[in-house]
mmCIF file of all heavy atoms in Angstrom:
data_model
loop_
_atom_site.group_PDB
_atom_site.id
_atom_site.type_symbol
_atom_site.label_atom_id
_atom_site.label_comp_id
_atom_site.label_asym_id
_atom_site.label_seq_id
_atom_site.Cartn_x
_atom_site.Cartn_y
_atom_site.Cartn_z
ATOM 1 N N LYS A 238 -3.528 34.187 8.226
ATOM 2 C CA LYS A 238 -4.370 33.207 9.074
ATOM 3 C C LYS A 238 -3.483 32.235 9.809
ATOM 4 O O LYS A 238 -3.675 31.939 11.042
ATOM 5 C CB LYS A 238 -5.334 32.429 8.229
ATOM 6 C CG LYS A 238 -6.506 33.279 7.928
ATOM 7 C CD LYS A 238 -7.602 32.608 7.058
ATOM 8 C CE LYS A 238 -8.832 33.397 6.747
ATOM 9 N NZ LYS A 238 -9.789 32.681 5.993
ATOM 10 N N SER A 239 -2.487 31.749 9.200
ATOM 11 C CA SER A 239 -1.502 30.810 9.889
ATOM 12 C C SER A 239 -0.763 31.359 11.058
ATOM 13 O O SER A 239 -0.435 30.864 12.004
ATOM 14 C CB SER A 239 -0.377 30.378 8.878
ATOM 15 O OG SER A 239 -1.040 29.384 7.960
ATOM 16 N N ALA A 240 -0.625 32.791 11.023
ATOM 17 C CA ALA A 240 0.005 33.584 12.000
ATOM 18 C C ALA A 240 -0.928 34.026 13.097
ATOM 19 O O ALA A 240 -0.707 34.662 14.016
ATOM 20 C CB ALA A 240 0.782 34.799 11.399
ATOM 21 N N GLY A 241 -2.198 33.509 12.971
ATOM 22 C CA GLY A 241 -3.317 33.840 13.944
ATOM 23 C C GLY A 241 -4.044 35.200 13.772
ATOM 24 O O GLY A 241 -4.641 35.693 14.611
ATOM 25 N N LEU A 242 -3.692 35.772 12.561
ATOM 26 C CA LEU A 242 -4.442 37.054 12.241
ATOM 27 C C LEU A 242 -5.624 36.928 11.423
ATOM 28 O O LEU A 242 -5.693 36.019 10.688
ATOM 29 C CB LEU A 242 -3.410 37.934 11.427
ATOM 30 C CG LEU A 242 -2.080 38.185 12.153
ATOM 31 C CD1 LEU A 242 -1.160 38.917 11.175
ATOM 32 C CD2 LEU A 242 -2.120 38.991 13.460
ATOM 33 N N PRO A 243 -6.652 37.767 11.788
ATOM 34 C CA PRO A 243 -7.896 37.737 10.918
ATOM 35 C C PRO A 243 -7.568 38.253 9.414
ATOM 36 O O PRO A 243 -6.839 39.256 9.328
ATOM 37 C CB PRO A 243 -8.804 38.700 11.598
ATOM 38 C CG PRO A 243 -7.961 39.584 12.331
ATOM 39 C CD PRO A 243 -6.646 38.833 12.602
ATOM 40 N N ALA A 244 -8.010 37.510 8.416
ATOM 41 C CA ALA A 244 -7.663 37.907 7.040
ATOM 42 C C ALA A 244 -8.766 37.224 6.144
ATOM 43 O O ALA A 244 -9.218 36.110 6.464
ATOM 44 C CB ALA A 244 -6.345 37.544 6.698
ATOM 45 N N ASP A 245 -9.056 37.923 5.160
ATOM 46 C CA ASP A 245 -10.075 37.297 4.149
ATOM 47 C C ASP A 245 -9.946 38.127 2.832
ATOM 48 O O ASP A 245 -9.514 39.262 2.813
ATOM 49 C CB ASP A 245 -11.489 37.313 4.655
ATOM 50 C CG ASP A 245 -12.288 36.143 3.955
ATOM 51 O OD1 ASP A 245 -11.814 35.559 3.106
ATOM 52 O OD2 ASP A 245 -13.347 35.930 4.557
ATOM 53 N N LEU A 246 -10.380 37.451 1.743
ATOM 54 C CA LEU A 246 -10.435 38.217 0.404
ATOM 55 C C LEU A 246 -11.801 38.906 0.374
ATOM 56 O O LEU A 246 -12.793 38.441 0.891
ATOM 57 C CB LEU A 246 -10.193 37.247 -0.778
ATOM 58 C CG LEU A 246 -8.851 36.645 -0.823
ATOM 59 C CD1 LEU A 246 -8.850 35.691 -2.000
ATOM 60 C CD2 LEU A 246 -7.761 37.623 -1.104
ATOM 61 N N SER A 247 -11.771 40.038 -0.401
ATOM 62 C CA SER A 247 -12.942 40.768 -0.620
ATOM 63 C C SER A 247 -13.022 41.202 -2.082
ATOM 64 O O SER A 247 -12.001 41.328 -2.757
ATOM 65 C CB SER A 247 -13.088 42.031 0.209
ATOM 66 O OG SER A 247 -14.132 42.792 -0.119
ATOM 67 N N LEU A 248 -14.311 41.238 -2.611
ATOM 68 C CA LEU A 248 -14.481 41.645 -4.019
ATOM 69 C C LEU A 248 -14.459 43.194 -4.232
ATOM 70 O O LEU A 248 -14.468 43.662 -5.280
ATOM 71 C CB LEU A 248 -15.703 41.014 -4.571
ATOM 72 C CG LEU A 248 -15.751 39.504 -4.538
ATOM 73 C CD1 LEU A 248 -17.242 39.028 -5.013
ATOM 74 C CD2 LEU A 248 -14.685 38.938 -5.480
ATOM 75 N N THR A 249 -14.413 43.864 -3.168
ATOM 76 C CA THR A 249 -14.464 45.394 -3.187
ATOM 77 C C THR A 249 -13.232 45.851 -2.270
ATOM 78 O O THR A 249 -12.928 45.248 -1.319
ATOM 79 C CB THR A 249 -15.708 45.987 -2.721
ATOM 80 O OG1 THR A 249 -15.900 45.586 -1.341
ATOM 81 C CG2 THR A 249 -17.005 45.437 -3.517
ATOM 82 N N ALA A 250 -12.822 47.061 -2.678
ATOM 83 C CA ALA A 250 -11.781 47.697 -1.799
ATOM 84 C C ALA A 250 -12.453 48.403 -0.655
ATOM 85 O O ALA A 250 -11.677 48.848 0.145
ATOM 86 C CB ALA A 250 -11.010 48.650 -2.640
ATOM 87 N N GLY A 251 -13.722 48.502 -0.644
ATOM 88 C CA GLY A 251 -14.319 49.209 0.481
ATOM 89 C C GLY A 251 -15.159 50.381 0.087
ATOM 90 O O GLY A 251 -15.734 50.445 -0.974
#
Side-chain angles (χ1 to χ4, degrees):
K238 285 183 175 183
S239 291
L242 301 172
D245 208 347
L246 292 177
S247 173
L248 298 177
T249 66

